[in-house]
C-alpha cells in the first residue's frame, strides 16, 4: 500500500523559508511525477510545482521565483522550499503522486502551515 | 495562462443526478480529471482521462469531455457525495485546477 506523508514546521515567520518534506512508502519514487499542491483557507486547490523521477522540475508561474522542489531518491523523499513566505502562503500543503497523463492518484493527508509572527 | 472555470455551487436532492461542469479553451483537446474533497480530508481522484473511474470509485460517478466543457455526473446522489469537486487539466507543462464547485445535497 503506497502512502505519502508530509512533515515540517507548522508555523513559519514572515519573510522566512517554508520547508516541507514528503516521505513515500510502499513504492519507489521512480517512474512518477511528484507534486506539491496547497489549499489556502476558503479558497481552491493551487498547484505549486512538480519534480520528475529524473529530477526535472516545473513550477507554477505565480510561484516560480520563490519555489524549489528537490528529490532524495536514497530516502524516497521529495521536498519543497518556498522563500520569502507571507501570510498569503498560509495553507494546507499536500504532496501528491502524478501519473504521466497528468492526474494525481495518491495524496498525502496534508499539513497546515501558518505564516505568522 | 490557461484557466478552468467552475460554478461555485450546485445543489441537488438525494436520488437526483448532479451535473458539475468545467470550462476551458479547447478543453476537449486535453485530458480532464476530477477530484472530490470532503471537509478536512485530502482530495480523492474520482475521474481521470476524461471518463475513467479509479478502482474503488462508485459507478455513480461518470465523466465526459468535449469542445470547451468537461462534465462530472453523479447519478443517484447520496448525502455522502456532499463535498467540493475540482476539475484539473494540464496545459503546456503546467497543471491547472478549476476553482471548485461545492455540491450540496439538500
Amino acid at each position: 500500500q503506497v502512502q505519502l506523508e508530509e512533515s515540517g514546521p507548522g508555523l513559519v515567520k514572515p519573510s522566512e523559508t517554508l520547508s516541507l518534506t514528503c516521505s513515500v512508502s510502499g513504492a519507489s519514487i521512480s517512474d512518477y511525477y511528484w507534486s506539491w499542491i496547497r489549499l489556502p483557507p476558503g479558497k481552491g486547490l493551487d498547484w505549486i510545482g512538480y519534480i520528475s523521477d529524473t529530477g526535472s522540475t516545473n513550477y507554477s508561474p505565480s510561484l516560480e521565483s520563490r519555489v524549489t522542489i528537490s528529490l532524495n531518491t536514497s530516502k524516497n523523499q521529495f521536498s519543497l522550499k518556498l522563500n520569502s513566505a507571507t501570510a498569503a502562503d498560509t495553507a494546507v500543503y499536500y504532496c501528491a503522486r502524478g501519473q504521466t497523463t497528468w492526474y494525481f492518484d495518491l495524496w498525502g493527508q496534508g499539513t497546515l502551515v501558518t505564516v505568522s509572527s | 495562462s490557461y484557466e478552468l472555470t467552475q460554478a461555485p455551487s450546485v445543489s441537488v436532492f438525494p436520488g437526483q443526478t448532479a451535473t458539475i461542469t468545467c470550462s476551458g479553451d479547447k478543453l476537449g483537446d486535453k485530458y480532464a480529471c476530477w477530484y472530490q474533497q470532503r471537509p478536512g480530508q485530502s482530495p480523492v481522484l474520482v475521474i481521470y482521462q476524461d471518463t475513467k473511474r479509479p478502482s474503488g470509485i462508485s459507478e455513480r460517478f461518470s465523466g465526459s469531455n468535449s469542445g470547451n466543457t468537461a462534465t462530472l455526473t453523479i447519478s443517484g446522489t447520496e448525502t455522502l457525495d456532499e463535498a467540493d469537486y475540482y476539475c484539473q487539466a494540464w496545459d503546456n507543462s503546467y497543471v491547472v485546477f478549476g476553482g471548485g464547485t461545492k455540491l450540496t445535497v439538500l
Side-chain angles (χ1 to χ4, degrees):
Chain A
Q1 180 182 353
V2 183
Q3 290 188 317
L4 286 67
E5 184 173 8
E6 305 89 351
S7 59
L11 181 63
V12 175
K13 288 184 169 52
S15 81
E16 295 190 345
T17 297
L18 184 158
S19 297
L20 295 173
T21 296
C22 182
S23 299
V24 181
S25 60
S28 170
I29 209 159
S30 300
D31 298 330
Y32 297 102
Y33 291 84
W34 302 94
S35 261
W36 288 96
I37 297 156
R38 66 184 182 178
L39 183 69
K43 297 186 178 181
L45 294 173
D46 183 29
W47 174 69
I48 298 169
Y50 70 72
I51 187 165
S52 74
D53 59 331
T54 60
S56 64
T57 56
N58 204 18
Y59 304 128
S60 168
S62 64
L63 297 170
E64 187 170 17
S65 64
R66 299 194 291 129
V67 174
T68 302
I69 297 176
S70 58
L71 204 60
N72 186 331
T73 53
S74 64
K75 291 186 176 181
N76 233 35
Q77 294 176 336
F78 63 105
S79 298
L80 168 71
K81 289 189 185 301
L82 182 62
N83 301 326
S84 305
T86 71
D89 296 314
T90 294
V92 176
Y93 284 75
Y94 298 96
C95 58
R97 185 177 78 173
Q99 297 286 349
T100 52
T101 50
W102 291 111
Y103 57 92
F104 301 105
D105 62 340
L106 288 174
W107 295 66
Q109 83 281 3
T111 187
L112 174 62
V113 179
T114 301
V115 180
S116 174
S117 55
Chain B
S1 61
Y2 194 76
E3 293 185 358
L4 294 174
T5 302
Q6 298 181 240
S9 63
V10 167
S11 299
V12 66
F13 288 100
Q16 290 187 333
T17 296
T19 301
I20 299 172
T21 60
C22 174
S23 299
D25 185 48
K26 298 179 182 178
L27 180 56
D29 293 343
K30 312 175 192 301
Y31 276 135
C33 61
W34 292 89
Y35 302 91
Q36 176 194 67
Q37 186 172 31
R38 298 189 176 105
Q41 297 186 17
S42 301
V44 173
L45 180 71
V46 294
I47 293 290
Y48 67 101
Q49 291 179 5
D50 297 337
T51 62
K52 296 180 180 179
R53 219 174 28 251
S55 173
I57 298 301
S58 171
E59 293 179 353
R60 298 185 297 103
F61 289 83
S62 62
S64 63
N65 186 16
S66 179
N68 295 323
T69 304
T71 302
L72 173 69
T73 303
I74 309 172
S75 60
T77 304
E78 302 176 3
T79 54
L80 59 83
D81 298 328
E82 189 161 283
D84 294 324
Y85 290 86
Y86 295 91
C87 61
Q88 179 243 305
W90 181 74
D91 179 71
N92 285 336
S93 301
Y94 298 112
V95 172
V96 181
F97 285 100
T101 297
K102 180 176 181 59
L103 176 66
T104 300
V105 182
L106 300 169

